[in-house]
Amino acid sequence: MGHLIPVLELSKRLVTHHDFTVTVFVVSCHMSLAESHVIQSSMSPKLFDIVQLPPVDISHLVDANATVVTQIAVIMREAIPAIRSAICSMNFRPTALIVDLFGTESLPIAEELGLLKYVYVPSNAWFLALTVLVPFLDREVEGEYVDQTEPLRIPGCRAVRPEDVVDPMLDRTNQQYFEYVRIGKEIPTSDGVLLNIWEELQPLTLAAFRDETLLGRFSKSPVYPIGPLTRQLSGSRSELFDWLDKQPRESVIFVSFGSGGTLSYEQMTELAWGLEMSQHRFIWVVRPPTRTAADDAFFTAGTASSGDDPSTYLPAGFLTRTKNKGLLVPIWAPQVEVLSHPSVGGFLSHCGWNSTLESVANGVPMIVWPLYSEQRMNATLLEEELGVAVRPKVLPSKKVVGREEIEETVRQIMEDKEGKNEIRARVKELKYSAEKALSKGGSSYTALSRLAQQIEISKQRPTGTEGY
Ligand code: UDP
């Protein structure tokens, strides 16, 4: 979801603001209900074509314990012939191929066919910096990254603490690490990298990419900060909104862990108690607990039965005691609509990048609860650099966030005596800066226009590959 949604939003922008003709190729092994729904809703009105490539079967290629990153990398590799033939059978010659972060192995198709080639990284500039640096770290750093005693230095931007590295860097013998290093090498072969951020969010890191003595040494591809591109409101209403309409302004905390996040039974118990003890109103998107990593949940999110009864895994009496304060939503909620509702005043999030942007774009401060992928870096960025979030501390002895800590962080985010909550004030400033960036003449609007111009200019150049 974190990749599909921003690709669809970028496509809409390219059509509506720059008059492009866009075709989106969707690669998958199977499509969840939630994914089909997102695709369908992006089709009204129909602005671009979506071509669903034949589902890829990787069951014989990866073992059952392979991580999400490995599975996606293998799916994308297996799909290359289908992508190539789908491009070749289009009834006009496209000018540019934009691939997602996981699609960099398809960039040679663009070279072969004489197309411009871009990578859309649906995350932030600090993550991109680590990704293009990892092939160099791979040569220089000995031992596991998580065992380093010093932070990993990145020229021109914040160092990465060993415990914050992205999931693929947790184990250097795992296939997902090799896939990640490969992606880090392939990104700089592109004609440009699109980022779902805006210039004013990470000016120093973006400046480091433009400086050949800093990050520009590692990737010369121009970086285009074109965001925040978040899903538009659908206008659909459910009972959830009848309840939200009745709550005071900014009084409800929304709790959700993205499209794949799940918690252990023990952690869910602490979270339930913490929410109850805070005495604040909440909406909680609940999924049955798991004892394993989020990977397990990822490919089934959106397909799980919404009939799972939360009373079987939440503390006894929780539902009755909180019935006037809280609302549980099984499996999936209309997140963008919830975050934009005036009654919502906080977001306890796994800080996937889309969730982060949706929160900031609505001026909602966050409690950051990273689970997987690059989310530990996102959490550090949000709390320590942007100052729009608090991060609860994990009890080292138990490896869970305790109920008192949850109660305390909820209060920190939600209580705003006389408008003195600095975190709330900062996220509102960022919201306005994002709006400005996207408006005509703003930094993101201009960055996408520059990209569009580059594509236009290339359209007029003969490539010698006509008629492939
Ligand atoms: N989402 C949603 N309802 C849910 C959970 C997730 O609409 O109950 C959407 C959310 O708004 C976001 C995307 O799914 O746009 C999740 O992307 P993100 O990058 O935050 O995290 P990921 O799920 O990829 O880890």
Side-chain angles (χ1 to χ4, degrees), residues 1-3 5-6 38 122 230-231 254 256-261 285 287 298 329-337 339 347 349-358 372-375 378:
M1 275 305 185
H3 293 245
I5 291 170
V38 164
T230 55
R231 205 163 49 76
F254 178 55
S256 177
F257 298 94
S259 52
V285 183
R287 302 203 175 114
F298 229 100
V329 180
I331 313 292
W332 191 261
Q335 181 167 304
V336 177
E337 287 76 7
L339 286 171
F347 184 17
S349 167
H350 76 318
C351 47
W353 194 246
N354 291 283
S355 297
T356 299
L357 292 178
E358 289 158 10
Y372 48 84
S373 189
E374 91 292 23
Q375 291 154 14
N378 295 349

